[in-house]
Amino acid sequence: METDTDKFNLDEEKMIILITGASYTGKTLLAQKMLEKYKYPYLSIDHLKMGLIRSGNTKLTPEDDDELMDYLWPIVREMIKTAVENRQNLIVEGCYVPFDWRRDFDNHYLKDIRFICLAMASEYIKSHFSDITGHASEIETRIADEDCTLESLKADNRNIIDGFHRAGEQVTLVKDDYEKTIHRLLE
């Protein structure tokens, strides 16, 4: 006789894929490609942010980056823990992930989390700036960002690289071939 536990492999590996990085690095594109390949549900931290802002559940605005991380990360962190506890797959994507995010999880959770941080090398940004900004709405329609300049993009990427490296994290650095870098992450 078949039981419920016979129908499901209770030891089947489940995974949370946490994607973060600098703006304009293709976090959303990578999450979309992973959703299509692995069929995992996908949570955009930006969608959560805008839902909370538009619903009036916070007085913060999209420009309040530091405060938004402090506000959003505890919510996202607990959603990740819940997905791990429920043995569910989930892709979580967005820039509101603190450099020291691991301190919020014990090994029971960490073993089920794959962390990906995307950043671009300064030389790559310099030689591909128009391509980078030209693909900004590849997956979602972005509002024109006049504050995105070559120098601001380089500074944002440098901050992400330095911050996550100081925290002991590996950063996937786009140096030459963007498509190859994304393809490697999908493997």
Side-chain angles (χ1 to χ4, degrees):
M1 172 170 214
E2 188 178 77
T3 66
D4 283 342
T5 54
D6 293 332
K7 293 179 189 173
F8 304 101
N9 180 359
L10 296 179
D11 295 326
E12 179 182 328
E13 186 175 325
K14 297 294 181 181
M15 182 172 303
I16 307 302
I17 302 171
L18 179 58
I19 303 169
T20 194
S23 294
Y24 292 88
T25 55
K27 298 178 299 292
T28 305
L29 175 66
L30 177 61
Q32 180 68 35
K33 288 183 180 280
M34 287 185 162
L35 176 146
E36 292 165 3
K37 179 174 182 172
Y38 300 114
K39 310 293 188 243
Y40 290 3
Y42 158 44
L43 169 70
S44 165
I45 301 174
D46 280 341
H47 290 174
L48 176 62
K49 168 187 78 176
M50 291 311 297
L52 290 164
I53 289 171
R54 287 179 167 180
S55 67
N57 281 291
T58 181
K59 298 289 185 213
L60 296 172
T61 71
E63 288 77 37
D64 297 323
D65 280 338
D66 292 338
E67 296 89 347
L68 280 164
M69 184 174 323
D70 293 341
Y71 181 67
L72 292 169
W73 178 246
I75 298 166
V76 172
R77 175 193 68 216
E78 297 308 315
M79 291 173 78
I80 291 170
K81 287 180 180 178
T82 301
V84 169
E85 291 162 358
N86 289 333
R87 306 296 304 143
Q88 295 172 301
N89 295 312
L90 181 63
I91 300 165
V92 178
E93 172 271 321
C95 59
Y96 300 104
V97 177
F99 298 136
D100 61 350
W101 68 273
R102 286 183 190 269
R103 72 169 161 62
D104 291 328
F105 299 94
D106 64 28
N107 286 334
H108 167 77
Y109 295 103
L110 288 172
K111 69 180 179 54
D112 293 322
I113 301 171
R114 177 180 175 205
F115 176 75
I116 299 171
C117 178
L118 285 173
M120 295 176 177
S122 289
E123 283 304 311
Y124 181 85
I125 295 168
K126 184 178 174 183
S127 60
H128 294 88
F129 182 72
S130 62
D131 293 333
I132 293 166
T133 56
H135 286 282
S137 294
E138 185 109 355
I139 297 297
E140 61 188 355
T141 303
R142 286 180 93 138
I143 297 171
D145 186 359
E146 292 83 26
D147 294 335
C148 180
T149 65
L150 177 66
E151 291 310 314
S152 70
L153 203 54
K154 287 166 67 174
D156 185 30
N157 277 269
R158 176 54 41 211
N159 179 54
I160 292 296
I161 294 165
D162 292 346
F164 279 110
H165 277 166
R166 274 193 306 276
E169 296 293 345
Q170 184 176 356
V171 175
T172 300
L173 191 60
V174 178
K175 297 179 193 173
D176 48 27
D177 189 329
Y178 182 83
E179 292 298 324
K180 247 190 205 174
T181 303
I182 296 300
H183 183 73
R184 271 195 323 271
L185 291 170
L186 288 169
E187 295 305 310

